[in-house]
Structure formats: C-alpha cells, structure tokens
Amino acid sequence: MRAPLQQIETSGELPRSADAVVIGGGIVGVFAAYYLARRGMRVALVEKGRIGAEQSSRNWGWCRQQNRDARELPMATRSLDLWDSFATETGEDTGFRRCGLLYLSNDEAELAGWARWRDFAKTAGVTTQMLDGAEASERGRATGRAWKGGVFSPTDGTADPSRAAPSVARAILKLGSTVHQNCAARGIETESGRLSGVVTESGTIRTKVAVLAGGAWASSFCRQFGFRFPQASIRSSILSVSPGAEGLPDALHTARISATRRGDGGYTLAISGRGRVDVTPQQLRFSSQFLPMFLKRWRSLAPGGLQGARSGHETLRHWRLDQPTPMERMRILDPVPDQATIRLTHARALELLPDLQKTRISAAWAGYIDSTPDGVPAIGEIQSVPGFFLAAGFSGHGFGIGPGAGHLIADLMIGSQPIVDPKSYDPQRFDVSAWGKVADF
C-alpha cells in the first residue's frame, strides 16, 4: 500500500464464540473493541486486510473540536480526553499531542463564519481563539505574508495515522481479546430474528452482539441482509514530504493548502475538501439522497474514473456466504492518487511555506472517504436485526472522533449510559428522510 502504516502481529485461530464481534479494523472498530474488552468482554475483531490500512491511515491525523458540526461537537470533545487517557491506560503511543490547530484566512466571509462558530462553541464550553491580523500574521510567520485574521484552537491536536489503529489493536490483545487480520466477514446469521453469529471466510463466530465498522464497505455489507444504508465515497489524494522544514506550525489550515507535522518530522499536505467522484452503481442508486450535499460541496469535486467500480466496495450485487466476496478480492482499498491534485498540492505548499523547499516528496496516496447524506455518521443498533450495530459514514471526521465513537458503540452494545447522546447518529434517521441539514464542516 502507498500510505505509511505500522504492521503488527495479531491472533491466529478464530474463536468459535465471542461476547462481541467487531467487523472492521479501522480506528472506530479498534476503539469499539478496546472499550468492550476493557469491560471484561471477550471480543473478536475481524479485519479483511490489515489493521488501519484504509482511511484510518490515509487522513491528516487531526483531532479537533474547532469548526465541528453541532451534532458532532460533544463527541469530539470527549474524544480528545480519550486520546489523552488511552496512552496512560495502555502504555501504547498513538502519536497524539495537543499541539493546537491554526487556521488562517484573508477572506472576510470565512472569518465571519469562524467567529459565529466561536460564539456557538462558547455555549458548549469549548475554547477557541479568534486572531486579528497582527496575531494571525505572527502565528503564520512561516508563510512570510500578512493575514487578515484566523483562529487558534489550543486544546485540539493531532495523532499519527500510521500507528494509531495498530497501537489500539495491541491494547486489545493485551486485554485478552483477539484480533484477526486477513479475515473478511461475509455476513451474519440470525435466530428468531436476532443476531446469532458472524460468518467469516475462516468460519462462523457465535455471538449475540456485533458491530459493523466497515468504512466505505458498510452499505454493500448491509445490503446483504436487507438494510438500506445510503452511503457514497469520494477519492481524496494527499502527499507527505520528508523532514527538513523548520519553523512551520504543527497543524495549519488555509483555503488553498493544509499542512500537518508527522511523527517523523515531515509533513502531510492536502487541499481540504478536494476529491474525485469515481462513479459506482451504489452512488447512482443513492444519488437523489446526496443531492443537497453535492449542491453544497460541488466546487471541491471533480469527475473521477472507474477505480471505484472496479474495487467492489460500492457494488449492488448480493453474494453467497460460502463463496469469496468482494472484500476478499480487494483486501485493502488502495486507489491510485490523482497526480494533478498531487502536483497542485505540492506547488501550493511550496508557495505558501517556502521552507518546504528543503524537503522532497516521500509518498503520495489516495483513500475513499465515505459519507452519509447529511455528513454525520450512523451509529446505533439496526432495528430489523436486534443485536447488530452499525458505525459508518464518518464523512472524513472518523479519525479524530474515533475514541468517542468507539466508546459510544461499546456503551450501546452493552446497554450502559452512553458517553454522548446518540440520537443524532441513529441509522434509522434515513428511513424518514435523507434530506436533513448537511454538516457545515
């Protein structure tokens, strides 16, 4: 795969039964399994490829409250505390640091929007600092230019996408639960209408509760047992550069380019929101539900190619549980990055941050960011299959809120007091209407 990722050794033989099964080894899945295991449950996590190999290792690594949609802000706040406490609890290092996030702008409308969010954030007890021109220019001195204003969020931070999910998986193993790589879940079994097992390519695990944290594969998996989950993905391309640049902010966002310091001292570079739409049968099926989001974000999107259709993650076909599935043919979604975007991103970064000229491109990759029609994840029990839960559609926000989402999933699965109000995340909300308010950020 093109994106950097730690490799880990995981469990061997699949258990015949488990107290809970987690399908998917991305950041949300591993944190769900971790918080279940911490409560004494025997958990089996199954991942069709490698732990963290899809979008969980292909993002910027931002863990933020700043500019979060109101529906996600409580989870974002709790997640920051959980990122902190995870290292203390386990001794594992996800690379999380509260380095603060810096936003700079010369656009009055953008600054006004940040000011409105600041006023809202005060009501939620979140600290964010609006910067005037002098303050923004000083914090952004690495750009060598003047700025009209900006925002600094001192309590936000970043974690390392290349090691976060593997670190949590190691913590799961320490707690006595099991983690299985290269083991695709093919479907589920039920008894008297309730979940009774998860069928994998290596055998069936008997269980009464399970969660599907399958990222971009979730909708096609749900289709196998008749649950309609509107989901679509875009292909986002980013790059990293080698260490060598000095005096840059740890995490910087501007309208033209964003930069994030990596654990090795290099930087990840990206253009926020930019992506290509690789048309798939699933996208065509749900196109009307995604129209409000498209109308809001179309300026950042461009037509793609056939990579999405070929990969199989958004297929409309049904598969047999005793035969290989699309997940076994495509263990890791590793799409080819858009070279035009990579060139543009690098050129903009060198223009904005001249010290990056001391570096070289070390890697470039792409990933599929899956979204719901309103840009808010679906987290909760699927009512038509009691005992089976969904956690997907994180819309590019899943890495930062992964700990909170995992904790919430564990709460719901065992029936304890949820860490945040789960109402906004109910997967059944799309049964009524998929035309809800599209997330602002």
Side-chain angles (χ1 to χ4, degrees):
M1 56 181 280
R2 299 170 177 87
L5 178 64
Q6 279 188 357
Q7 296 194 42
I8 62 169
E9 294 293 326
T10 49
S11 311
E13 185 177 355
L14 200 70
R16 297 182 64 182
S17 65
D19 296 331
V21 174
V22 176
I23 302 169
I27 197 69
V28 173
V30 293
F31 268 117
Y34 170 71
Y35 287 114
L36 287 166
R38 269 184 62 84
R39 300 176 201 198
M41 298 189 75
R42 293 182 304 110
V43 184
L45 184 152
V46 294
E47 162 55 46
K48 63 182 174 52
R50 289 171 54 191
I51 294 295
E54 294 191 340
Q55 198 54 32
S56 292
S57 60
R58 297 163 188 264
N59 60 86
W60 303 3
W62 284 34
C63 306
R64 64 179 174 89
Q65 300 165 102
Q66 180 65 41
N67 291 342
R68 285 284 188 196
D69 185 89
R71 291 164 289 185
E72 282 188 0
L73 182 58
M75 186 180 291
T77 300
R78 296 303 302 269
S79 291
L80 288 167
D81 294 334
L82 294 173
W83 279 111
D84 271 330
S85 61
F86 175 78
T88 303
E89 294 166 357
T90 66
E92 295 287 346
D93 182 12
T94 63
F96 176 70
R97 298 179 303 125
R98 288 190 187 248
C99 57
L101 309 180
L102 177 63
Y103 295 66
L104 299 173
S105 181
N106 283 318
D107 182 88
E108 295 287 359
E110 187 171 41
L111 290 169
W114 293 346
R116 288 192 298 272
W117 190 90
R118 182 269 318 273
D119 295 340
F120 153 70
K122 286 181 179 178
T123 68
V126 175
T127 301
T128 184
Q129 301 171 2
M130 289 297 299
L131 307 176
D132 61 24
E135 294 168 330
S137 299
E138 171 59 24
R139 284 194 176 273
R141 58 187 177 277
T143 67
R145 63 182 68 183
W147 296 92
K148 288 185 178 180
V151 174
F152 183 66
S153 55
T155 59
D156 289 348
T158 63
D160 187 343
S162 71
R163 53 180 161 151
S167 295
V168 183
R170 284 193 294 268
I172 297 167
L173 295 171
K174 290 178 183 177
L175 291 169
S177 287
T178 60
V179 178
H180 306 271
Q181 298 182 104
N182 295 305
C183 180
R186 292 176 172 175
I188 60 174
E189 292 183 346
T190 60
E191 291 180 4
S192 302
R194 294 189 60 87
L195 179 77
S196 62
V198 173
V199 180
T200 80
E201 62 179 292
S202 301
T204 299
I205 307 173
R206 312 313 304 177
T207 189
K208 294 182 178 180
V209 288
V211 59
L212 171 63
W217 297 85
S219 183
S220 61
F221 191 99
C222 288
R223 191 172 300 112
Q224 306 310 307
F225 57 89
F227 182 72
R228 187 177 186 277
F229 174 45
Q231 182 185 37
S233 60
I234 63 166
R235 175 165 47 98
S236 175
S237 300
I238 64 178
L239 68 133
S240 63
V241 294
S242 61
E246 299 176 351
L248 277 59
D250 287 326
L252 170 66
H253 167 79
T254 71
R256 289 177 57 79
I257 191 72
S258 296
T260 311
R261 184 185 295 276
R262 299 181 63 84
D264 63 0
Y267 277 82
T268 296
L269 307 174
I271 300 174
S272 180
R274 191 180 183 93
R276 290 198 175 270
V277 180
D278 293 337
V279 177
T280 67
Q282 181 175 292
Q283 286 189 353
L284 295 175
R285 182 191 187 199
F286 294 133
S287 58
S288 62
Q289 285 94 324
F290 280 88
L291 185 58
M293 177 174 285
F294 178 76
L295 293 174
K296 188 167 187 174
R297 301 182 179 177
W298 66 271
R299 291 178 181 84
S300 300
L301 303 176
L306 298 176
Q307 287 193 68
R310 291 170 180 157
S311 70
H313 64 290
E314 293 187 346
T315 181
L316 294 182
R317 66 176 283 252
H318 288 263
W319 55 74
R320 291 177 50 172
L321 302 188
D322 60 351
Q323 297 291 328
T325 66
M327 286 89 74
E328 291 146 83
R329 299 187 186 97
M330 180 63 69
R331 295 283 180 182
I332 298 172
L333 284 175
D334 190 23
V336 177
D338 176 48
Q339 291 304 317
T341 297
I342 297 299
R343 289 191 296 269
L344 179 62
T345 302
H346 193 226
R348 286 186 179 183
L350 296 182
E351 177 188 10
L352 181 69
L353 300 164
D355 217 60
L356 286 175
Q357 294 175 18
K358 300 176 182 177
T359 69
R360 59 174 177 79
I361 295 177
S362 54
W365 62 87
Y368 283 111
I369 299 174
D370 67 293
S371 179
T372 61
D374 58 11
V376 175
I379 304 172
E381 189 172 25
I382 294 176
Q383 293 176 358
S384 59
V385 186
F388 194 69
F389 293 74
L390 176 65
F394 282 81
S395 308
H397 309 156
F399 185 81
I401 63 175
H407 200 298
L408 175 61
I409 294 160
D411 295 339
L412 297 175
M413 290 176 74
I414 66 175
S416 66
Q417 179 67 31
I419 189 171
V420 296
D421 185 350
K423 183 178 179 180
S424 296
Y425 310 120
D426 185 359
Q428 275 74 216
R429 70 184 187 273
F430 301 115
D431 295 343
V432 179
S433 173
W435 287 69
K437 179 181 181 292
V438 177
D440 290 324
F441 298 97

